[in-house]
């Protein structure tokens, strides 16, 4: 129970990688606040955490709304007595054209900024904390853009990596660590068009993408990394993009 006595706010924690992070933190003893716009999915996540013996609550939150994000931080502090861990894991966004560009920046970059702004202020009161942003391998390499939305996604994720490193430097002496997980190809609600195939998308993984481990990543494999980064076991790690991709970027 390496997170016993700590509190975590997981923005975008109702499904996919965010839910995996919420479940992993709760399994290690943290009290978890899930902040999300998808209440039905959040209720399912809360039920799973509770069934596993964990502690979790929910606050309806639009992560692209500055005031709503501030309210989620305040709710976490009010319920759990403070804030030690922040996970930013908002997903979604499928608009095309200029609207898609702005949507990607709002969803992935601005939302992370809002959350860090308010959460870090609370962590300073606690004498430290851990921020875990979720970006993508598209945030550490170039992305072949098929449309403006694709370009917006990659640029936003690069921005998240830059935000992470900047905040890590700014708050290192205050014992606030800031890291970013960069997932490769994971089987989530965001990728059904690829993995909902007769072969489970394995031909795409092996023949097109050539992922060295030859399979999709599973959400819990991000959750365990988040729990590690949230714990004191990673006490000298900050400002780092942690790539979790089955060896894809090593080729």
């Amino acid at each position: 129970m390496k997170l016993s006595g700590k509190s975590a706010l997981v923005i975008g924690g109702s499904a996919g990688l965010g839910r995996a992070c919420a479940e992993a933190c709760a399994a290690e003893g943290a009290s978890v606040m899930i902040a999300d716009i998808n209440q039905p999915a959040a209720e399912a996540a809360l039920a799973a955490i509770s069934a596993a013996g964990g502690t979790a609550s929910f606050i309806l939150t639009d992560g692209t709304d500055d005031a709503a994000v501030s309210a989620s931080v305040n709710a976490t502090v009010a319920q759990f007595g403070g804030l030690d861990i922040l996970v930013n894991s908002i997903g979604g966004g499928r608009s095309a054209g200029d609207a898609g560009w702005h949507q990607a920046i709002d969803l992935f970059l601005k939302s992370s900024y809002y959350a860090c702004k308010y959460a870090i202020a609370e962590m300073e009161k606690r004498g430290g904390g851990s921020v875990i942003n979720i970006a993508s391998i598209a945030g550490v390499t170039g992305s072949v853009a098929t449309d403006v939305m694709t370009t917006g996604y990659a640029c936003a994720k690069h921005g998240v990596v830059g935000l992470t490193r900047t905040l890590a430097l700014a708050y290192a002496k205050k014992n606030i660590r800031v890291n970013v997980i960069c997932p490769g190809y994971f089987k989530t609600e965001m990728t059904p068009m690829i993995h909902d195939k007769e072969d489970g998308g394995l031909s795409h993984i092996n023949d097109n993408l050539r992922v060295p481990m030859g399979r999709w990543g599973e959400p819990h494999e991000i959750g365990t990394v988040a729990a590690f980064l949230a714990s004191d076991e990673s006490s000298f790690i900050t400002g780092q993009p942690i790539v979790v991709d089955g060896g894809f970027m090593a080729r």
Side-chain angles (χ1 to χ4, degrees):
M1 304 292 283
K2 58 192 174 190
L3 300 180
S4 180
K6 295 189 176 183
S7 64
L9 171 62
V10 183
I11 299 182
S14 69
L17 303 183
R19 173 171 170 171
C21 293
E23 290 178 339
C25 288
E28 290 293 348
S31 298
V32 177
M33 179 69 75
I34 292 175
D36 206 294
I37 202 167
N38 188 340
Q39 185 164 357
E43 289 173 353
L46 291 179
I49 290 171
S50 179
T55 300
S57 295
F58 168 71
I59 180 168
L60 186 67
T61 305
D62 178 353
T64 66
D65 184 317
D66 185 293
V69 173
S70 175
S72 72
V73 170
N74 291 338
T76 306
V77 172
Q79 182 153 349
F80 300 135
L83 179 61
D84 305 289
I85 302 156
L86 169 68
V87 179
N88 285 311
S89 185
I90 288 181
R94 282 294 182 268
S95 299
D98 288 349
W101 168 273
H102 292 291
Q103 183 183 56
I105 300 300
D106 288 345
L107 275 173
F108 306 120
L109 181 53
K110 287 185 178 180
S111 66
S112 295
Y113 164 73
Y114 297 148
C116 289
K117 175 173 64 170
Y118 295 113
I120 287 175
E122 291 298 332
M123 290 176 182
E124 286 188 89
K125 298 175 185 177
R126 301 277 269 187
S130 177
V131 175
I132 300 128
N133 294 317
I134 306 295
S136 165
I137 55 173
V140 292
T141 186
S143 178
V144 178
T146 56
D147 56 35
V148 175
M149 175 55 189
T150 305
T151 310
Y153 177 86
C155 290
K157 294 299 188 178
H158 271 77
V160 172
V161 173
L163 175 69
T164 297
R165 285 175 159 159
T166 299
L167 293 176
L169 293 174
Y171 290 96
K173 290 185 178 178
K174 294 188 176 182
N175 196 34
I176 297 172
R177 297 181 296 107
V178 190
N179 292 290
V180 54
I181 301 175
C182 299
Y185 293 90
F186 277 74
K187 191 179 290 186
T188 71
E189 296 87 340
M190 296 290 292
T191 55
M193 72 295 291
I194 305 174
H195 62 70
D196 278 357
K197 303 266 173 115
E198 204 168 305
D199 68 345
L202 286 178
S203 60
H204 184 65
I205 286 291
N206 287 290
D207 300 336
N208 298 335
L209 298 173
R210 296 185 294 123
V211 175
M213 291 187 73
R215 65 174 177 85
W216 288 90
E218 297 292 340
H220 72 85
E221 294 175 299
I222 295 296
T224 54
V225 176
F228 166 70
L229 291 174
S231 76
D232 292 338
E233 291 179 355
S234 60
S235 57
F236 203 52
I237 301 175
T238 193
Q240 300 305 310
I242 310 296
V243 176
V244 185
D245 69 349
F248 180 81
M249 295 284 290
R251 284 194 293 102

